[in-house]
Amino acid sequence: MRRTRSLLSLCACLLVAGMWQGAVAAEQFTARKLADNIQLITGPSGNTLAAVDTDGVILIDGVPAKLADAYLVFVSNLTGTDKIKAVVNSHWHDESVGLNAKLAAKGVTIIAHANTRQWLTTTIRKRGEEVLHKPTPKAQLPNKIFYDKFSLPFRGGNIELGYMLHAHTDGDIYAYFRDQNVLFTGPTVRTDSWSAVDESTNGYIGGFVDAYDQLALLVNDKTTVVPISGPVIGKAEFDEQHTLYTKLMKEMVALLRKSRSAEEVVAANPAIGLKPQWGDPSVFLDEGFRSFYGNLRDARHLGGAMP
Ligand SMILES: [Zn+2]
């Protein structure tokens, strides 16, 4: 009996300790209301949205798996409910899909582009060597996929999900709340660091600039643009980044046509001085330049096919 009681009190202590840790860890996150029933949640891995519908919460993007518990505690405290009805994965990286295992176990709908699901089923390697991802168990994969557009009912309107061909990866999607004029850009737009393309899963700098073109069609003077990480921006800042990356890609094309290597492009650093507050642009330049190699017949971006 005494042993039972001490075990019970040990369990209670662990439970309290676990809750306390969850609460402390949840402090890594902050929230800000962007519109009625739409909260921006910012944490160590960037931005997500919690759209509070009448019958549960829709999450736009996840957090890395190691932050999942703390994040879900935060969302529950913020929204006053544990009922999450759907999560949207903007691409296959851990920062977007890290909630899937926990939410799949609760029967939550996990929405992604078909290519994102496809990548998650496979072993992904960087340049044939470094393993970036091992196959996700089937029960934790996105269970609602689409190819071009998908409409998700929300508060009498819709959340429009749209595909951006070969940008950061080949499965990127945005989420646009048309009635509230809030645009979650997906992984192409960052406002606190250089973006990069993941050339191991068909990210492409030409498609990355196309994604900016595509998002630009949705952005107007009143749009709240939510990047995957960094501060929320409006049209002026969005347009500035759009122009910056478009020009930079043209300079990289010029270096490609002079037969420069990726190492030479990083050393030449055509991004120098453009956004010093974003830190080192090497990964953007290196991966972006290498992503040309699989697209040398893309005359539209390269100014004519490469000889
Ligand atoms: Zn990513």
Side-chain angles (χ1 to χ4, degrees):
M1 181 66 188
R2 179 174 293 172
R3 185 177 154 73
T4 309
R5 197 176 298 150
S6 65
L7 273 176
L8 277 174
S9 63
L10 176 67
C11 289
C13 274
L14 287 175
L15 192 64
V16 169
M19 285 162 67
W20 183 77
Q21 276 177 1
V24 168
E27 286 174 8
Q28 301 171 87
F29 296 96
T30 57
R32 188 180 130 203
K33 182 178 163 183
L34 296 183
D36 283 348
N37 305 303
I38 302 176
Q39 294 276 353
L40 164 70
I41 302 176
T42 301
S45 64
N47 300 321
T48 65
L49 296 178
V52 186
D53 208 348
T54 48
D55 58 347
V57 178
I58 300 167
L59 296 173
I60 307 296
D61 243 1
V63 295
K66 63 175 192 234
L67 298 176
D69 285 332
Y71 177 83
L72 292 172
V73 167
F74 185 85
V75 171
S76 165
N77 291 341
L78 178 70
T79 61
T81 176
D82 284 332
K83 174 104 175 64
I84 291 168
K85 65 174 184 176
V87 60
V88 173
N89 297 153
S90 73
H91 66 305
W92 71 265
H93 289 161
D94 191 41
E95 74 221 42
S96 290
V97 304
L99 294 174
N100 291 11
K102 296 227 173 279
L103 296 182
K106 295 179 181 172
V108 172
T109 303
I110 303 172
I111 305 167
H113 187 267
N115 288 350
T116 293
R117 187 182 199 279
Q118 189 71 16
W119 285 121
L120 288 169
T121 63
T122 64
T123 298
I124 300 169
R125 291 187 168 83
K126 184 168 180 171
R127 291 172 209 153
E129 305 201 8
E130 181 191 354
V131 173
L132 300 176
H133 175 77
K134 293 203 171 130
T136 301
K138 197 169 176 212
Q140 299 171 11
L141 290 169
N143 48 33
K144 188 87 194 167
I145 58 165
F146 70 97
Y147 293 88
D148 185 30
K149 288 201 157 42
F150 188 82
S151 189
L152 197 56
F154 174 64
R155 296 268 174 187
N158 287 297
I159 306 170
E160 300 167 19
L161 307 181
Y163 178 45
M164 292 169 287
L165 184 77
H166 296 203
H168 176 70
T169 69
D170 66 6
D172 295 7
I173 56 176
Y174 64 79
Y176 184 47
F177 296 74
R178 189 172 291 275
D179 290 351
Q180 297 83 359
N181 206 354
V182 172
L183 173 65
F184 183 87
T185 62
T188 287
V189 181
R190 293 177 178 270
T191 59
D192 59 351
S193 60
W194 290 95
S195 290
V197 296
D198 177 353
E199 46 126 358
S200 64
T201 54
N202 299 329
Y204 172 43
I205 181 121
F208 173 87
V209 169
D210 288 347
Y212 265 92
D213 293 348
Q214 197 177 339
L215 293 169
L217 299 175
L218 300 173
V219 176
N220 58 43
D221 289 337
K222 299 233 164 63
T223 308
T224 304
V225 179
V226 182
I228 197 163
S229 76
V232 164
I233 55 175
K235 180 170 168 37
E237 295 97 329
F238 176 86
D239 288 349
E240 187 213 330
Q241 288 194 202
H242 186 184
T243 304
L244 177 145
Y245 279 120
T246 305
K247 278 191 187 160
L248 202 43
M249 186 195 68
K250 284 191 180 146
E251 288 178 45
M252 290 162 75
V253 167
L255 292 165
L256 179 73
R257 299 194 78 91
K258 288 184 193 162
S259 302
R260 296 286 192 273
S261 66
E263 291 79 6
E264 287 171 321
V265 171
V266 172
N269 191 3
I272 197 161
L274 293 179
K275 283 277 180 189
Q277 66 274 34
W278 285 357
D280 185 355
S282 298
V283 174
F284 165 76
L285 293 170
D286 182 62
E287 296 273 311
F289 194 79
R290 287 173 192 277
S291 76
F292 284 133
Y293 302 163
N295 294 278
L296 295 177
R297 282 186 283 179
D298 174 12
R300 182 166 61 87
H301 289 103
L302 302 184
M306 295 293 287

